[in-house]
Amino acid sequence: MNAIDTAIRAAAADIKLIGVTKAYDAQTVVIPPMDVELRAGEFTVVLGPSGCGKSTLLQMIAGLERVSDGKIMVGGREVQDLEPKRRGCAMVFQNYALYPHMTVFENMAYSLKVAGVRKAERAARVAAVARMLALSDYLTRKPGQLSGGQRQRVAIGRAIVREPNVLLFDEPLSNLDAQLRHDMRVELSELHRRIGATSIFVTHDQVEAMTLADRILILNKGRIEQFDTPKAIYHHPASVFVAKFIGAPPMNILPVTGDGSVLRLADGQIVAEARLTGSYQLGIRPEDIVVGIKADGHAVRAVLRFREDLGSHSVLAADLAGSVIRIATPFGADLINQSELFLNLPAARLHLFDAETGRAICGAFAAQ
Ligand SMILES: Nc1ncnc2c1ncn2[C@@H]1O[C@H](COP(=O)(O)OP(=O)(O)OP(=O)(O)O)[C@@H](O)[C@H]1O
Ligand SMILES: [Mg+2]
């Protein structure tokens, strides 16, 4: 680890939001009061649909947007009224925002120059960061002479050269093609392991969320739906919203009714045993459904509509009790002429949600 790695690692800070609110007026409350704690050195991914407040949240932490109410603590220091440059946060944007007329070196050194860092130290710090990001050979080039991935690395370098306590990323990879996104994701993950700065990363991409995050924060209309590890979010979604947001294809949700001993689909077929009465939403992931061609146990009958062959596996879509259900299966070729499918929904893989609120109900099935 070189000097700059050590400096940044030492500076990682925890972040606490206490009742942080953003409202443009009484009708436009973008973030209702939010309380959340991010640990020092943690990599948090913020995931949510367009307009749910992800950028607003990041910009309030960075100081580019004022909070309407509440406190933001970074490393135990109250920062919500401080200027952006005094908060110890650095932000990387989707469009890189590099200065086109400056070289890579000048782009990375600029903020240090503004901060009054001496020339020799500026050169040393930029050289260290450039080495870390494999940019040493490009320092004299202008951004126009770089690939998308190299430009993105310059933008990251420019942010970390200031040795921030906190790194904020707003969809930094969304302008890149699929291969480059993948490569940058791996690099970012590696970079975080080395420097350990507390990082918040906004994305629409659930693969980025699952692979980069220590914890994923899922936002819905400015509210936290769930904040947990990728594993917990995938295996124990706290609501239908979360269940449908993670997974490709997403979790199937089927309306069911309980009579005290079994749960039935809308057409009366029995899907599971459970001592529940009333209406619920039953969830099952496409990859957890077991496909057969003969009825056995509690298998339910569905009618195959189409299948997509993705090479590594197939995704089937079938009509089941008035809903479309998606099934991911490593096979499928032998089912192509088979319009009638029998689907087993293993009890250990079922999720149950409240019919009204969509919140998860735990421990509903004996097998779990
Ligand atoms: N000046 C403003 N006045 C009123 N509403 C605003 C203003 N600026 C942003 N908003 C609203 O705040 C909400 C959150 O915006 P934000 O940019 O944080 O969303 P986002 O989650 O980052 O979305 P995206 O994924 O599209 O980038 C949006 O509904 C937006 O319309
Ligand atoms: Mg945004």
Side-chain angles (χ1 to χ4, degrees):
M1 214 183 270
N2 62 31
I4 195 149
D5 286 5
T6 317
I8 296 173
R9 183 170 282 281
D14 63 332
I15 301 174
K16 277 194 197 123
L17 305 190
I18 305 161
V20 167
T21 310
K22 183 71 188 180
Y24 287 99
D25 54 54
Q27 278 77 47
T28 324
V29 181
V30 176
I31 311 245
M34 179 185 287
D35 294 293
V36 69
E37 283 189 42
L38 316 180
R39 301 177 195 119
E42 190 171 28
F43 199 116
T44 301
V45 171
V46 180
L47 197 60
S50 185
C52 72
K54 304 181 294 294
S55 298
T56 307
L57 183 63
L58 230 56
Q59 287 173 352
M60 287 195 295
I61 296 169
L64 304 174
E65 207 41 276
R66 282 197 63 79
V67 300
S68 306
D69 203 0
K71 282 185 190 171
I72 300 176
M73 315 286 292
V74 175
R77 210 163 53 108
E78 208 173 302
V79 302
Q80 73 278 358
D81 297 321
L82 299 182
E83 282 177 73
K85 66 177 185 210
R86 298 190 52 218
R87 296 190 182 199
C89 302
M91 194 150 164
V92 181
F93 299 93
Q94 176 179 354
N95 59 9
Y96 324 143
L98 299 175
Y99 300 112
H101 58 284
M102 290 186 190
T103 63
V104 168
F105 178 90
E106 288 162 347
N107 262 285
M108 291 209 272
Y110 185 71
S111 66
L112 297 177
K113 193 172 174 184
V114 171
V117 175
R118 282 184 301 115
K119 198 169 172 184
E121 192 183 338
R122 290 204 301 264
R125 283 216 223 166
V126 171
V129 168
R131 256 197 316 279
M132 194 193 293
L133 294 167
L135 286 170
S136 304
D137 293 342
Y138 304 97
L139 288 173
T140 55
R141 290 211 199 164
K142 301 266 173 69
Q145 300 166 311
L146 299 175
S147 72
Q150 290 161 345
R151 270 180 237 167
Q152 189 59 70
R153 288 209 296 271
V154 177
I156 293 169
R158 194 178 50 173
I160 64 177
V161 79
R162 289 168 45 204
E163 299 173 8
N165 299 326
V166 173
L167 270 171
L168 306 168
F169 298 91
D170 197 350
E171 306 204 40
L173 308 185
S174 47
N175 283 342
L176 306 178
D177 67 39
Q179 180 60 42
L180 212 47
R181 270 181 99 114
H182 175 263
D183 295 348
M184 281 303 297
R185 204 166 73 218
V186 173
E187 281 181 31
L188 267 177
S189 186
E190 177 68 19
L191 183 75
H192 181 252
R193 241 198 317 278
R194 290 179 62 190
I195 68 174
T198 312
S199 303
I200 311 180
F201 185 101
V202 165
T203 183
H204 273 106
D205 184 328
Q206 50 163 306
V207 178
E208 274 167 30
M210 293 298 287
T211 53
L212 284 171
D214 291 316
R215 284 194 290 172
I216 301 176
L217 192 155
I218 299 199
L219 269 191
N220 179 13
K221 298 187 187 135
R223 286 180 203 280
I224 300 176
E225 281 277 331
Q226 192 168 1
F227 183 32
D228 214 330
T229 61
K231 237 179 166 166
I233 297 257
Y234 181 85
H235 291 291
H236 306 288
S239 63
V240 168
F241 182 89
V242 175
K244 285 168 106 169
F245 211 81
I246 290 280
M251 187 183 281
N252 295 293
I253 303 290
L254 303 161
V256 292
T257 317
D259 63 5
S261 62
V262 294
L263 290 178
R264 289 178 194 274
L265 296 172
D267 65 357
Q269 295 195 77
I270 296 173
V271 270
E273 290 172 18
R275 293 173 191 279
L276 295 162
T277 50
S279 299
Y280 299 91
Q281 303 185 69
L282 185 75
I284 182 133
R285 294 214 175 269
E287 53 275 32
D288 289 336
I289 299 173
V290 182
V291 186
I293 47 172
K294 284 208 192 81
D296 65 301
H298 283 313
V300 290
R301 185 183 164 279
V303 176
L304 181 63
R305 283 286 165 237
F306 64 87
R307 65 179 272 268
E308 294 171 305
D309 211 327
L310 303 177
S312 60
H313 66 285
S314 301
V315 175
L316 315 177
D319 289 333
L320 176 63
S323 302
V324 173
I325 187 164
R326 287 196 164 68
I327 306 133
T329 160
F331 313 110
D334 51 336
L335 296 166
I336 197 160
N337 298 321
Q338 194 73 37
S339 71
E340 189 174 57
L341 299 179
F342 289 92
L343 308 177
N344 240 298
L345 315 187
R349 302 287 184 191
L350 293 176
H351 302 260
L352 199 71
F353 303 96
D354 188 282
E356 304 271 294
T357 64
R359 301 306 295 180
I361 299 165
C362 297
F365 302 102
Q368 289 179 330

